[in-house]
Amino acid sequence: MGLFSKHECEECRARFKSYDELVSHAQQAHKRHVVKCASCGKLFLHEKDRLHHVKEEKEHKVDERRHRF
Ligand SMILES: [Zn+2]
Ligand SMILES: [Zn+2]
């Protein structure tokens, strides 16, 4: 697994430095359907990626709350 393998386009194998770049490439070059996080607006190629993000976001919010009080 190389450094950029995480952000490789499934359609044309182009590689990107960030997931966001990959998502916008897939949207523009391949007209891919993307899913959006309802709380922060971040875009994802797969529903499972979005669910993973939502889970992390929730955990992060719980951590913030813990620090605050
Ligand atoms: Zn591509
Ligand atoms: Zn989010």
Side-chain angles (χ1 to χ4, degrees):
M1 287 284 258
L3 193 62
F4 299 111
S5 59
K6 277 192 284 190
H7 310 300
E8 187 178 275
C9 176
E10 291 166 0
E11 322 258 350
C12 71
R13 298 295 164 202
R15 287 172 184 195
F16 300 90
K17 286 191 289 278
S18 71
Y19 184 77
D20 291 341
E21 281 177 55
L22 168 61
V23 173
S24 60
H25 160 83
Q27 248 185 322
Q28 287 160 26
H30 310 297
K31 309 293 176 206
R32 280 281 302 265
H33 171 74
V34 296
V35 286
K36 195 177 188 177
C37 172
S39 55
C40 74
K42 193 172 158 67
L43 299 169
F44 301 90
L45 291 174
H46 302 286
E47 179 63 12
K48 66 172 172 59
D49 295 336
R50 191 187 66 83
L51 291 172
H52 179 76
H53 162 81
V54 167
K55 191 172 165 278
E56 285 196 330
E57 219 168 40
K58 272 184 192 156
E59 281 166 8
H60 186 66
K61 272 176 192 158
V62 170
D63 283 345
E64 276 182 357
R65 217 170 292 148
R66 208 175 283 150
H67 287 304
R68 213 167 284 155
F69 297 114

